[in-house]
Amino acid sequence: MESAFVHTPLGIAKLEGDEKGLASVSILNEDVGTTTIIPEVLEDAVYQLQEYFSGQREAFSLTLNAEGTDFQKKVWTELLEIPYGKTISYLALSKKLGDAKAIRAVAAANGKNPLWIIVPCHRVIGSDGSLTGYAGGLHRKKWLLNHESPAKQQSLF
């Protein structure tokens, strides 16, 4: 598994993957010694992430290879259907997956998403519109939703 580090407005992102695809993207909560060498298998992912943060990309076109249970992968696949600049509630996501009562399992799978930003778990909010649960921290979730908002001059929250 190869690694690359990208400086973003939200901190340093660590990307991991190999020839089978991108396995994880995570945000580091501390500044670590990072190398500037980007492995060839991660060049496209780094480039697309940089385009996203510069406002030039709304959708990613990458081969993904995240590890998870079948249920988690089903949830993550549904997350990919949430359009840029839009949000969905955990309840609505559960209903789309066929079981409104699975809301806690859906939320847990959302929280285990290993592909920060690429699989847009930040677009899932509480039924009342509140920002709830985000592994990267609610301040980052708020930043991402504002970044994707069509009304850039106004804050969503």
Side-chain angles (χ1 to χ4, degrees):
M1 190 74 57
E2 305 263 8
S3 297
F5 298 88
V6 179
H7 289 272
T8 77
L10 298 174
I12 297 173
K14 180 181 181 182
L15 290 74
E16 294 182 302
D18 56 26
E19 65 283 342
K20 295 178 186 171
L22 188 62
S24 72
V25 178
S26 56
I27 190 76
L28 305 178
N29 287 320
E30 54 194 53
D31 201 2
V32 296
T34 59
T35 171
T36 56
I37 298 169
I38 299 170
E40 187 175 339
V41 295
L42 295 173
E43 285 177 350
D44 198 29
V46 168
Y47 180 73
Q48 289 188 35
L49 201 57
Q50 289 171 330
E51 283 184 325
Y52 169 85
F53 280 111
S54 69
Q56 299 171 8
R57 176 173 290 275
E58 294 183 358
F60 294 93
S61 177
L62 298 165
T63 301
L64 305 180
N65 188 31
E67 288 188 24
T69 66
D70 289 344
F71 180 77
Q72 287 170 334
K73 289 178 180 181
K74 183 178 175 184
V75 172
W76 301 337
T77 298
E78 194 62 42
L79 293 174
L80 291 169
E81 300 301 316
I82 306 168
Y84 181 94
K86 303 290 184 191
T87 58
I88 188 172
S89 71
Y90 287 100
L91 179 59
L93 181 58
S94 298
K95 288 178 180 177
K96 284 186 79 165
L97 289 161
D99 187 357
K101 293 179 182 173
I103 189 168
R104 287 191 175 157
V106 168
N110 196 52
K112 297 278 187 192
N113 170 22
L115 291 162
W116 181 69
I117 297 179
I118 309 296
V119 175
C121 55
H122 61 277
R123 296 179 188 153
V124 184
I125 59 174
S127 293
D128 62 358
S130 63
L131 298 183
T132 58
Y134 188 62
L138 290 181
H139 67 289
R140 289 188 178 111
K141 184 172 188 166
K142 180 179 178 180
W143 190 96
L144 290 166
L145 292 174
N146 284 334
H147 176 69
E148 294 181 2
S149 172
K152 297 279 188 211
Q153 71 278 9
Q154 296 178 358
S155 174
L156 284 174
F157 302 96

